[in-house]
Amino acid sequence: AILFPVFGRARENSRRSVCQSNLKQIGLAVIQYTQDFDGYMVPQQNTTNRYWPTLLAPYVKGDQIFVCPSTDQTLVNRDNRFISTGTRM
């Protein structure tokens, strides 16, 4: 019972590290997108109603990069939209 808080902190530190890595990968994906589109940043939504996570999809390994493991919400790609499902990973 004494070690439960220690394990909880270690687990949260691990989640924080994953979240920081995800943010770095998203930043790199934005830079690559900007380079491919002649300096134009990723729009929030384009003319075909595709949202920015969908536009960055070719530059990242998967949808999980858009999920912070420390939150109680996950994102699911449905009809080119990322919506909150309210469940923890």
Side-chain angles (χ1 to χ4, degrees), residues 19-73:
C19 194
Q20 287 174 338
S21 175
N22 287 350
L23 289 172
K24 179 181 177 185
Q25 294 302 316
I26 291 170
L28 292 173
V30 168
I31 290 169
Q32 290 174 338
Y33 180 96
T34 303
Q35 289 174 345
D36 286 350
F37 287 89
D38 298 324
Y40 287 97
M41 292 290 291
V42 181
Q44 178 184 355
Q45 177 181 353
N46 69 3
T47 56
T48 60
N49 289 330
R50 293 179 66 204
Y51 292 85
W52 68 270
T54 306
L55 295 171
L56 291 180
Y59 303 96
V60 297
K61 291 183 179 180
D63 292 344
Q64 288 302 108
I65 199 167
F66 299 107
V67 177
C68 182
S70 291
T71 184
D72 288 336
Q73 297 181 345

Side-chain angles (χ1 to χ4, degrees), residues 5-25:
V6 173
F7 290 138
R9 281 193 300 270
R11 188 177 307 126
E12 185 56 34
N13 286 340
S14 173
R15 289 180 184 149
R16 186 177 305 144
S17 176
V18 169
C19 194
Q20 287 174 338
S21 175
N22 287 350
L23 289 172
K24 179 181 177 185
Q25 294 302 316

